[in-house]
Amino acid sequence: MADTLPKGYEPRDVEERWRAHWQDNKTFTPDPDAPGDPYCIVIPPPNVTGALHIGHALNQTLIDVLCRHARQKGKNVLWVPGTDHAGIATQNVVERALAREGKTRQDLGREAFIERVWQWREDYGHRILNQIRALGASVDWTRLRFTMDEGLSRAVRKVFVQLFNEGLIYKGDYIINWCSRCHTALADDEVEHEPHRGKLWKVRYHLADGSGEIVIATTRPETIPGDTAICVHPEDERYAHLVGKSAIVPVLGRHIPIIADSYVDREFGTGALKVTPCHDHNDWALGRTHKLEFLQVIDENGVMKAEAGPYAGLTKEACREKIVADIEAAGDLLDVEELDHAVGHCYRCHTVVEPHVSTQWFVATTKMAPAARAAVPELTRILPESWAKTYYRWLDNIRDWCISRQIWWGHRIPAWTCAQCGRLIVSEEDPTACPRCGGSDLRQDEDVLDTWFSSALWPFSTMGWPEKTKDLARWYPTSVLVTGFDIIFFWVARMMMMGQHFMGQVPFHDVYLHALVRDESGRKMSKSTGNVIDPLEMIDKYGCDALRFTLTAFAAMGRDIRLSEARIEGYRHFINKIWNAARFALMNLPETAPAPVDLGTVEGLHHQWILHRLEAVKQEMDAALEEYRFNDAAQTGYKFLWNEFCDWYLELIKPDMQDEARKPVAQYVLWTVLRELLLLLHPIIPFVTAEIWHALPVPAGQTATDIALEPWPAARPACVRPDEAARMELIQGVIVAVRTIKAELNISPAHKVSLLLHPADDAQAALLEASQGMIFPLARLESLAIGTDLTAPRASASSVVCGCQVIVPLKGAVDLNGELARLDKELAKLEKDVAGVQAKLHNESFTSRAPAEVVARERERAETLLDNRAKLLALRERFREALGDDGDA
RNA sequence: GGGCAGUUAGCUCAGUUGGUUGAGCACCGCCCUUACAAGGCGGGGGCCACAGGUUCAAGUCCUGUACUGCCCACCA
């Protein structure tokens, strides 16, 4: 006996041991020259500032399942780990730390500040890596990357310079989204629109020629000083006579033109709109088309500029208050309404975003998008497919991407201006002199690049690009990108564009978009709501395998996951179940691996059955994993292990283990099935399977291997035996029937009863005869008789299984009325089924139109049901007589 | 305003190509049966949101309705 496992599974030490083993042995560091089809996934790089949240845990679990499975299937697997420098987020974190010391980044100066961020990363950046490690992610740690490391920075520069030279990066004045707290531009998709209860002010503008007035509606009166036009719809009869005239800006007194544009919605407000080209995206567009004056009145700090006249120096909030009061005093405020509308907020700090005109750098994504769009679905599949539509729509309506950020932490834009002649120099290497005038006073652009710029290069920059590396040749394009749908625009689409442009190939064959993890009532998890589930805490409490299994089991394609701690706790039971099944096996296996037996010709219905089922499960789990049906794979493994292997097979072989003649076969089948089952489950729950695998006996002279390097179990066609499996089901049916009778008649399960079986035919009789050894212990019998000529005591409980009558003579204090009620209930159920099938079969159009195979199956079923019913009716009749006799006697 | 999901047992969710709705947790009853009480055995509980349609047959396909959630969007 090789029992070396403790009674209850204690994941903590086991997991830590395997983590260390895999890392120390570089188990997951692939050799580019090794054989096998390439399989590669790049990790969606978590922010260095981040702590692992449940979304990461889901993402990395699914990737790990895929990678481990691919490795089992003989592929040459590379999983590249890494982190993202997360410009704004990281800068914010460090600035907050500085603030606690009473300092600002300006106090330190740019260089010292950046030094400080690097230091911060030195101190804390490894946390997230430890968390990835804790999850059991089979990443190659030797290829760890960071978006700001030297190689990736070189890639960023090369991409920037090339795109600039190709005219795909340009610098220009544009209205962008400005966060006055982060003090930087934000890309369109970095702005989150939130519903807001605001006000709609209706303000009268007098005509310059004194001939009348026009009333506009605005939600932002503080921008009135920046008005340079009033706009109405060209077909709006109310205002047609005013178009071309001039109006006077309230308080400021400037004269502005009244123009017409079909953009205006006649139904909204008053149908007249004030145009402030510098402080509204739409007005910016109007200003361009109508060649209006551009007047900036709010600065980058949210303070009114000199151009705002009397309001100069006020904050925009104070300005709003004051100008409304002034207009009201002048009698030109006609109405104030409540209005629900969407207001943009910074996705990092949640400050209200101000449209702001400034000089920024842009990538001409409008030119790059068509190729990225065309690649789906032919070159890259998006799964679930429904997301492809979203992807298309975004690319079809894309605007150029603002990539400059007015912060310090990030890739500084490789552009310099010559102080002498003003020449703009964009270069991979830091220039020393101006190529035009030779001047040496070159000033580098102050801005850094959007974090997502470097992320967009991730699939090839991590593999060493622009060098022509072996890794790139071997593993680009990557196999699949696994990520949340929330970054399909930020990241996926941009990787597609950059990958195609610089590698000439899409960056991945598949994109699998997984769910968002929500709390049990469907809310997004967030620290402020206090509903977060911390994966590390879960790992600590229940073990990593329990967490991984839970996430996998709930990862149905296209659906959000509602997670609660109770579920993880529930699946911990499953891990423990495997553990105890293994303990049982070890108690019953020899020190070295049992001698092989030909499994294709093995005797014993239970062995044939479990081997048959194993083949089906093997095939189904493989297919599920290939098709990203993670939940199906998990569920199939769960049911097989618990409901078939543990509940039935382990019980069935207990008697074998007491019989020296049957023991060797049972041992070998047990050993084989358990080992293969561990392999099937290993991608999902790597730790417990590794530990058990290691403890199982191996052939004499060999040493235990690492399950992570073992192949997926091969198919064993000789073990596919549907007939034997069906026969096993009869045996199980009989056993369940006896158990049900006991349970429902309140007979203790431990109480041994006699059992009479009246088989339906000779084949059944022979089968039951041969299977007594299985029925006896599992049904807990005192005696068993099989035959059609047996006379049963009339006071018997009974049931019918596949035409076989199951009769349990009742002795002692048993509630006989209970049995009658039980029979009635069973008959009622049968009656319902019979009615259903017969209705179908009596339906002429069913029998004539349904496929013959379906009709035959229904007929067969009807026959069985009718037969069962007849037998059960007869049994009930006998029982009634018995009751009557007892009553009379 | 547009688009996309979801609606199945008390709760959280499965249900591949249409062919007797399944699981976990919760609940009820009986069991410490020598792998596991984090367990075993048995049980109750569903006109599959609603209304039409296609079909011999619909949870499954089509149309509409009602809620719920998400994404996108330039009604100031």
Side-chain angles (χ1 to χ4, degrees):
Chain A
M1 193 172 91
D3 185 10
T4 56
L5 303 180
K7 186 168 174 178
Y9 179 53
E10 289 297 337
R12 211 174 308 206
D13 298 344
V14 171
E15 288 176 1
E16 191 43 43
R17 204 150 22 78
W18 285 102
R19 278 181 201 117
H21 180 266
W22 287 325
Q23 190 163 1
D24 295 348
N25 288 280
K26 295 192 167 57
T27 309
F28 306 120
T29 297
D31 173 1
D33 295 324
D37 291 341
Y39 189 90
C40 179
I41 297 181
V42 289
I43 197 170
N47 294 350
V48 267
T49 54
L52 188 76
H53 60 67
I54 199 77
H56 293 124
L58 171 68
N59 179 254
Q60 286 161 32
T61 296
L62 298 183
I63 295 177
D64 196 47
V65 170
L66 292 174
C67 284
R68 286 181 187 268
H69 183 241
R71 233 172 256 124
Q72 289 177 318
K73 297 298 288 288
K75 292 182 181 160
N76 189 6
V77 177
L78 170 62
W79 180 4
V80 181
T83 50
D84 192 286
H85 68 280
I88 299 175
T90 307
Q91 175 158 327
N92 284 351
V93 168
V94 177
E95 280 190 284
R96 269 201 296 277
L98 278 178
R100 281 194 289 274
E101 301 165 17
K103 292 187 202 150
T104 66
R105 68 175 150 129
Q106 283 78 12
D107 294 341
L108 267 70
R110 185 164 190 153
E111 227 167 283
F113 178 77
I114 289 174
E115 195 47 50
R116 178 77 186 239
V117 181
W118 278 105
Q119 188 55 50
W120 186 91
R121 185 220 173 218
E122 229 20 71
D123 296 342
Y124 299 104
H126 61 271
R127 280 185 315 182
I128 190 82
L129 299 177
N130 283 340
Q131 291 167 346
I132 294 172
R133 185 174 171 274
L135 269 171
S138 59
V139 299
D140 176 6
W141 290 109
T142 69
R143 285 177 169 86
L144 181 65
R145 293 290 183 270
F146 177 52
T147 47
M148 285 277 281
D149 68 25
E150 211 190 317
L152 272 66
S153 299
R154 202 160 47 238
V156 164
R157 274 206 174 188
K158 185 169 175 75
V159 165
F160 187 96
V161 172
Q162 189 179 325
L163 288 177
F164 179 81
N165 291 336
E166 292 169 341
L168 293 171
I169 279 184
Y170 63 91
K171 192 177 180 181
D173 283 342
Y174 201 79
I175 188 159
I176 43 82
N177 311 289
W178 182 263
C179 175
S180 53
R181 211 230 43 90
C182 299
H183 229 265
T184 183
L186 296 172
D188 294 329
D189 50 15
E190 288 173 320
V191 177
E192 286 176 354
H193 292 271
E194 286 169 20
H196 172 77
R197 194 80 204 249
K199 289 195 171 80
L200 185 66
W201 285 269
K202 291 188 182 158
V203 179
R204 171 161 51 206
Y205 285 47
H206 296 277
L207 296 187
D209 60 9
S211 67
E213 61 186 49
I214 183 163
V215 179
I216 57 90
T218 180
T219 55
R220 304 197 55 208
E222 69 274 20
T223 63
I224 285 175
D227 287 355
T228 56
I230 284 177
C231 191
V232 297
H233 196 277
E235 287 153 33
D236 193 334
E237 289 163 11
R238 293 173 294 177
Y239 301 119
H241 64 288
L242 298 178
V243 176
K245 294 192 172 185
S246 289
I248 304 170
V249 177
V251 189
L252 281 289
R254 282 188 293 106
H255 290 199
I256 54 173
I258 297 174
I259 58 170
D261 193 292
S262 56
Y263 155 74
V264 177
D265 178 356
R266 278 169 284 184
E267 307 298 316
F268 188 88
T270 61
L273 158 77
K274 71 182 203 62
V275 184
T276 322
C278 282
H279 297 289
D280 184 278
H281 289 98
N282 309 314
D283 293 7
W284 167 265
L286 283 175
R288 288 225 153 166
T289 17
H290 296 271
K291 300 204 169 21
L292 300 175
E293 189 188 345
F294 286 73
L295 188 59
Q296 196 168 53
V297 293
I298 305 174
D299 72 9
E300 67 272 17
N301 298 313
V303 174
M304 305 310 292
K305 296 173 66 172
E307 286 79 355
Y311 305 102
L314 294 178
T315 64
K316 57 186 185 182
E317 292 81 11
C319 173
R320 171 182 294 191
E321 235 169 89
K322 187 143 191 296
I323 200 166
V324 168
D326 290 346
I327 291 167
E328 190 167 18
D332 290 326
L333 180 64
L334 301 189
D335 190 27
V336 186
E337 281 175 21
E338 298 272 289
L339 178 74
D340 291 318
H341 61 134
V343 175
H345 292 74
C346 172
Y347 85 130
R348 287 297 184 197
C349 72
H350 252 66
T351 304
V352 172
V353 163
E354 183 72 31
H356 189 77
V357 175
S358 59
T359 307
Q360 303 288 344
W361 292 87
F362 295 87
V363 173
T365 41
T366 39
K367 296 203 176 86
M368 299 173 80
R373 194 211 136 105
V376 175
E378 280 74 21
L379 302 173
T380 297
R381 286 195 302 167
I382 292 183
L383 302 165
E385 278 173 40
S386 56
W387 284 105
K389 224 172 175 174
T390 309
Y391 173 83
Y392 293 145
R393 206 154 38 81
W394 190 74
L395 287 175
D396 288 343
N397 297 300
I398 199 165
R399 291 200 284 179
D400 283 352
W401 174 19
C402 175
I403 50 168
S404 40
R405 296 290 180 275
Q406 289 67 46
I407 56 173
W408 288 349
W409 175 241
H411 299 280
R412 192 156 172 185
I413 290 178
W416 290 260
T417 309
C418 173
Q420 275 180 39
C421 70
R423 165 85 180 235
L424 181 67
I425 306 153
V426 171
S427 159
E428 277 187 60
E429 304 301 329
D430 290 10
T432 50
C434 173
R436 183 159 65 193
C437 71
S440 59
D441 186 4
L442 305 176
R443 307 212 174 131
Q444 185 168 8
D445 197 300
E446 293 292 323
D447 292 354
V448 300
L449 289 166
D450 179 6
T451 293
W452 296 102
F453 190 88
S454 52
S455 309
L457 319 180
W458 190 248
F460 50 92
S461 63
T462 51
M463 292 190 212
W465 189 90
E467 306 300 319
K468 287 194 164 68
T469 62
K470 252 186 179 177
D471 282 6
L472 273 175
R474 185 73 164 121
W475 283 296
Y476 190 93
T478 66
S479 308
V480 54
L481 179 79
V482 180
T483 189
F485 57 76
D486 49 332
I487 52 177
I488 186 168
F489 309 132
F490 281 118
W491 197 42
V492 180
R494 289 169 184 164
M495 280 192 288
M496 288 290 284
M497 293 189 268
M498 292 297 190
Q500 287 179 303
H501 195 80
F502 287 93
M503 299 298 296
Q505 278 186 82
V506 292
F508 13 75
H509 297 301
D510 286 351
V511 174
Y512 175 78
L513 296 166
H514 63 241
L516 236 51
V517 182
R518 300 173 182 282
D519 74 3
E520 52 195 326
S521 42
R523 292 171 307 176
K524 216 166 169 171
M525 286 190 185
S526 74
K527 273 185 197 147
S528 51
T529 329
N531 59 348
V532 288
I533 292 182
D534 174 10
L536 291 177
E537 191 188 323
M538 295 301 109
I539 289 172
D540 191 52
K541 274 173 97 167
Y542 306 109
C544 180
D545 286 330
L547 175 66
R548 289 176 55 122
F549 195 88
T550 309
L551 292 171
T552 309
F554 279 94
M557 220 191 261
R559 268 187 88 134
D560 283 349
I561 297 176
R562 294 193 187 192
L563 193 69
S564 71
E565 186 170 339
R567 273 183 251 301
I568 301 167
E569 193 183 350
Y571 279 118
R572 175 186 56 166
H573 301 342
F574 176 65
I575 306 301
N576 195 54
K577 188 76 179 175
I578 301 170
W579 184 254
N580 279 292
R583 287 184 61 234
F584 171 82
L586 284 170
M587 288 175 188
N588 288 285
L589 287 173
E591 290 286 355
T592 55
V597 170
D598 181 359
L599 295 172
T601 59
V602 73
E603 297 284 334
L605 197 56
H606 54 322
H607 299 319
Q608 294 166 348
W609 167 74
I610 199 73
L611 287 165
H612 169 83
R613 289 292 307 138
L614 178 64
E615 288 310 301
V617 167
K618 209 185 270 184
Q619 197 273 327
E620 165 57 19
M621 284 183 76
D622 189 38
L625 291 176
E626 293 289 343
E627 294 161 28
Y628 306 104
R629 288 183 288 117
F630 297 98
N631 58 321
D632 286 344
Q635 201 187 27
T636 303
Y638 183 100
K639 283 178 156 172
F640 179 68
L641 180 119
W642 202 313
N643 303 123
E644 302 190 284
F645 184 70
C646 290
D647 288 350
W648 287 100
Y649 186 68
L650 294 188
E651 295 302 323
L652 288 166
I653 58 170
K654 280 179 183 174
D656 293 347
M657 293 305 178
Q658 308 305 318
D659 182 321
E660 288 309 317
R662 298 202 306 257
K663 191 171 177 179
V665 174
Q667 284 180 323
Y668 184 69
V669 178
L670 170 64
W671 186 74
T672 304
V673 174
L674 180 57
R675 274 167 57 99
E676 296 204 347
L677 188 44
L678 291 173
L679 289 167
L680 300 185
L681 289 167
H682 179 255
I684 305 174
I685 44 175
F687 294 109
V688 72
T689 49
E691 184 71 2
I692 296 169
W693 180 272
H694 197 74
L696 285 176
V698 292
Q702 294 183 18
T703 49
T705 56
D706 179 356
I707 192 173
L709 296 170
E710 292 291 322
W712 185 258
R716 205 178 278 115
C719 288
V720 177
R721 295 172 144 171
D723 294 344
E724 283 76 3
R727 268 180 246 154
M728 187 65 211
E729 278 165 27
L730 171 71
I731 308 300
Q732 291 173 326
V734 168
I735 292 165
V736 169
V738 177
R739 285 172 176 170
T740 308
I741 286 170
K742 283 193 194 177
E744 299 202 332
L745 295 181
N746 269 323
I747 300 168
S748 162
H751 183 257
K752 294 188 175 174
V753 296
S754 302
L755 173 63
L756 305 180
L757 294 174
H758 287 200
D761 52 43
D762 291 349
Q764 254 189 19
L767 172 63
L768 291 166
E769 198 72 49
S771 306
Q772 289 194 46
M774 292 194 267
I775 301 172
F776 238 87
L778 267 65
R780 299 204 152 222
L781 301 181
E782 182 184 67
S783 66
L784 169 61
I786 301 166
T788 43
D789 53 346
L790 294 168
T791 50
R794 280 182 294 182
S796 299
S798 47
S799 184
V800 179
V801 178
C802 301
C804 172
Q805 297 176 55
V806 177
I807 300 163
V808 178
L810 299 176
K811 291 182 230 161
V814 170
D815 177 11
L816 296 177
N817 286 312
E819 168 62 6
L820 195 58
R822 209 185 61 77
L823 285 172
D824 284 341
K825 195 181 74 186
E826 206 166 317
L827 269 166
K829 206 188 258 173
L830 261 176
E831 219 50 80
K832 210 180 125 200
D833 291 349
V834 166
V837 190
Q838 286 194 325
K840 228 176 197 179
L841 287 170
H842 288 150
N843 185 345
E844 161 67 28
S845 43
F846 171 73
T847 48
S848 60
R849 297 200 198 191
E853 177 198 317
V854 174
V855 177
R857 201 163 60 224
E858 289 298 312
R859 275 199 216 289
E860 202 176 323
R861 191 165 160 251
E863 234 171 86
T864 313
L865 287 173
L866 284 170
D867 180 57
N868 284 0
R869 184 179 66 165
K871 284 173 176 158
L872 210 54
L873 277 169
L875 287 164
R876 187 176 65 171
E877 212 37 55
R878 265 173 60 89
F879 190 78
R880 277 202 175 129
E881 283 167 24
L883 275 182
D885 285 0
D886 283 3
D888 294 346

